[in-house]
Amino acid sequence: MAATATAITAPVSAMMARAESAELLDEETDAALTAPKQEPLRVLMVNGSPRPDGNTFCCLKEIEAQLAKHSVASEIIQIGRRPVRMCINCGGCRQSNSEGCVFDDDACAEIIRKMASADALIVGTPVYYGQPNGGVLSLMQRLFFSAGHLVQNKPAAALAVCRRGGATATLQTMNMMFEMMNMPVVTSQYWNIAYGAAKGEVKLDTEGMQTMRTLATNMAFLLGKIHASGNSAPERDEKGVFMNFIR
């Protein structure tokens, strides 16, 4: 039983310890997290749909246009139909000489590199059986596990596109990961949901499109407040505590 419990909790403990330990941050990344921003604020957006110009993309483009009105730069990365490897808990990213995730040949590797200079993250996904796209889940789990220090304290938001139902469960799944990484979750006037089935149909969801614009406005507002002081991370005087309920 003890061995089993250790195996289950060790990955979570290692991930959080890596994210919280300043010693594991290189000087360049540490400076980027604490120095005042001189260049425009940047939001990295991930399109988790296999369709490059489908309804999820329409939502992200609506956000992109609204962010631009607030002088916030953004970039949309399409994971599309490219395979995304899942985390295999090999421990390679936690080795002392590690440069991150051992898999460096898919969309996750590209997003990890871009996350180093991004100030916020927005992830959009279609709803598959009441859940995020499997590729999105694999990507986010590997990003946070192997490069959690790159997302700490950066605002985040998820959006879900569905034909009929399952969107709230999808958002809850994604927000749980943001909360675990000390990422402020950016809200809107409603849950970040838009409805549509056929290509481009989501544009007919006028409330959904307005929800995306409000999300973008709130993201720009929060980023401005965070970076106005030149220090985007709150001081925390406690180390992470890890406990199993079964001893």
Side-chain angles (χ1 to χ4, degrees):
M1 175 65 73
T4 301
T6 300
I8 293 173
T9 59
V12 176
S13 300
M15 178 185 71
M16 297 302 291
R18 180 180 178 89
E20 292 176 357
S21 174
E23 295 178 357
L24 293 178
L25 295 176
D26 58 39
E27 293 182 1
E28 180 178 353
T29 302
D30 192 40
L33 290 173
T34 58
K37 288 284 291 187
Q38 301 299 322
E39 63 275 9
L41 296 169
R42 295 181 63 254
V43 178
L44 182 63
M45 298 197 287
V46 177
N47 180 6
S49 172
R51 298 175 178 174
D53 55 353
N55 287 321
T56 303
F57 180 72
C58 290
C59 290
L60 293 173
K61 290 296 288 184
E62 193 77 10
I63 294 171
E64 179 183 62
Q66 189 71 8
L67 286 173
K69 292 181 181 179
H70 295 281
S71 301
V72 175
S74 60
E75 179 181 7
I76 300 174
I77 300 295
Q78 167 77 23
I79 67 171
R81 295 174 178 148
R82 293 178 289 176
V84 179
R85 298 174 184 266
M86 69 177 186
C87 178
I88 60 173
N89 191 25
C90 66
C93 62
R94 301 193 295 274
Q95 302 302 314
S96 59
N97 61 345
S98 170
E99 295 183 358
C101 184
V102 297
F103 297 133
D104 61 358
D105 58 352
D106 64 8
C108 185
E110 177 186 6
I111 289 169
I112 288 174
R113 289 191 294 269
K114 291 181 178 293
M115 199 66 229
S117 58
D119 300 294
L121 176 67
I122 296 177
V123 182
T125 180
V127 174
Y128 288 179
Y129 295 96
Q131 303 167 79
N133 180 322
V136 169
L137 285 175
S138 292
L139 185 149
M140 293 177 70
Q141 289 169 2
R142 272 180 52 215
L143 166 64
F144 293 162
F145 190 79
S146 66
H149 59 287
L150 298 179
V151 302
Q152 288 283 313
N153 306 302
K154 294 181 178 180
L159 66 93
V161 177
C162 68
R163 179 191 67 84
R164 184 173 178 85
T168 53
T170 296
L171 288 177
Q172 289 165 2
T173 298
M174 299 174 76
N175 283 340
M176 287 175 71
M177 290 185 272
F178 297 147
E179 292 175 2
M180 197 171 181
M181 303 307 296
N182 284 309
M183 303 178 78
V185 177
V186 181
T187 60
S188 185
Q189 67 193 46
Y190 192 74
W191 299 303
N192 302 328
I193 297 169
Y195 293 87
K199 179 179 175 180
E201 192 173 39
V202 73
K203 294 180 181 179
L204 301 177
D205 179 4
T206 54
E207 182 178 352
M209 291 295 97
Q210 186 181 64
T211 298
M212 300 303 147
R213 293 192 297 273
T214 303
L215 167 61
T217 297
N218 290 348
M219 173 67 81
F221 173 79
L222 182 58
L223 279 172
K225 292 295 184 181
I226 289 174
H227 290 276
S229 64
N231 186 356
S232 59
E235 294 184 6
R236 300 186 178 96
D237 57 2
E238 292 188 56
K239 295 292 185 181
V241 176
F242 305 98
M243 174 185 171
N244 298 333
F245 290 101
I246 300 175
R247 295 294 187 182

